[in-house]
């Protein structure tokens, strides 16, 4: 048995009359656009979705199917996550019946949908559970301290006095190279304005 699934049917229009009473799971809403409806003589919202009819024997994911019935489209939103409902009809203000996505039976229908999602998770893009929180990047290593001017980086010996060191600090650092780092950390004393720093 192959580890890959064959491509499923894609495109076309969703016909709610063929799925009356069926449990429908919309896994992805790709887009909602306006399209001219010849019957209504005006632009109507259409949703392009991936869906599965859980009451159909094959339970295959149908990709990029166009849903054009307003009471179905109104229940969908791009990026809205998984949407589950039963296809049925509702009365309109004009007295006609309109196809709609009706509420599902909690505790029964949602359990069936969860089973399908867990069995078919690799075959559709939108996960049923939220994505795990991103792992924070490790903190950058502290930058190496700048070596003050006049310090031999190999021995730590001060070869010329850095600006701002008093003669006593410079002499102490020369006596003991281990104090060079300590001496370099002492903030430079401000020089009087207009006088050279040496």
């Amino acid at each position: 048995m192959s580890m890959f699934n064959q491509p499923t049917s894609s495109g076309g229009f969703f016909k709610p009359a063929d799925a009356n009473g069926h449990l429908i799971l919309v896994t992805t809403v790709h887009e909602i656009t306006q399209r001219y409806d010849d019957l209504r003589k005006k632009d109507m919202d259409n949703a392009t979705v991936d869906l599965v009819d859980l009451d159909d024997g094959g339970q295959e994911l149908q990709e990029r199917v166009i849903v054009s019935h307003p009471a179905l489209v109104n229940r969908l939103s791009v990026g809205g996550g998984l949407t589950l409902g039963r296809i049925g009809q509702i009365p309109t203000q004009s007295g006609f019946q309109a196809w709609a996505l009706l509420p599902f039976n909690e505790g029964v229908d949602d359990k069936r949908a969860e089973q399908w999602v867990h069995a078919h998770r690799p075959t559709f893009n939108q996960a049923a559970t939220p994505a795990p929180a991103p792992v924070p990047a490790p903190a950058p290593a502290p930058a190496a301290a700048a070596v003050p001017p006049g310090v031999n980086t190999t021995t730590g010996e001060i070869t010329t006095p850095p600006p701002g060191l008093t003669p006593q600090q410079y002499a102490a650092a020369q006596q003991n190279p281990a104090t060079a780092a300590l001496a370099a950390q002492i903030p430079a004393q401000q020089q009087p304005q207009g006088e050279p720093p040496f």
Side-chain angles (χ1 to χ4, degrees):
M1 179 180 225
S2 173
M3 67 181 278
F4 300 103
N5 295 318
Q6 291 290 345
T8 59
S9 59
S10 62
F13 282 87
F14 178 69
K15 299 178 180 77
D18 294 343
N20 189 14
H22 289 202
L23 184 62
I24 301 295
L25 174 64
V26 177
T27 62
T28 306
V29 179
H30 295 283
E31 64 181 357
I32 297 178
T33 57
Q34 294 244 318
R35 175 184 252 158
Y36 186 76
D37 187 308
D38 290 329
L39 185 64
R40 293 180 179 92
K41 304 290 185 212
K42 63 179 181 177
D43 287 335
M44 301 292 292
D45 284 338
N46 283 257
T48 303
V49 304
D50 295 348
L51 61 80
V52 60
D53 182 341
L54 295 173
D55 288 328
D56 178 39
Q59 295 187 353
E60 290 186 7
L61 184 67
Q62 300 173 46
E63 298 176 315
R64 298 206 164 266
V65 176
I66 296 172
V67 177
S68 61
H69 296 271
L72 293 170
V73 176
N74 290 342
R75 294 287 309 274
L76 305 173
S77 62
V78 176
L82 300 170
T83 303
L84 182 65
R86 285 202 171 270
I87 298 297
Q89 290 186 313
I90 57 171
T92 64
Q93 291 179 345
S94 58
F96 294 104
Q97 295 289 315
W99 291 108
L101 192 59
L102 303 176
F104 59 88
N105 297 320
E106 290 191 36
V108 178
D109 292 344
D110 50 347
K111 298 296 182 198
R112 286 182 52 213
E114 284 175 19
Q115 289 173 352
W116 185 91
V117 167
H118 290 299
H120 296 85
R121 186 180 303 274
T123 64
F124 66 94
N125 296 331
Q126 189 164 349
T129 56
V135 177
V147 177
V151 175
N152 182 327
T153 58
T154 305
T155 64
E157 181 182 345
I158 297 179
T159 56
T160 58
L165 285 182
T166 65
Q168 291 85 2
Q169 291 168 332
Y170 177 61
Q174 281 185 320
Q175 296 292 325
N176 182 359
T179 62
L182 179 62
Q185 292 175 2
I186 298 173
Q189 297 174 353
Q190 289 190 344
Q191 300 291 330
Q193 295 257 341
E195 292 185 24
F198 46 83

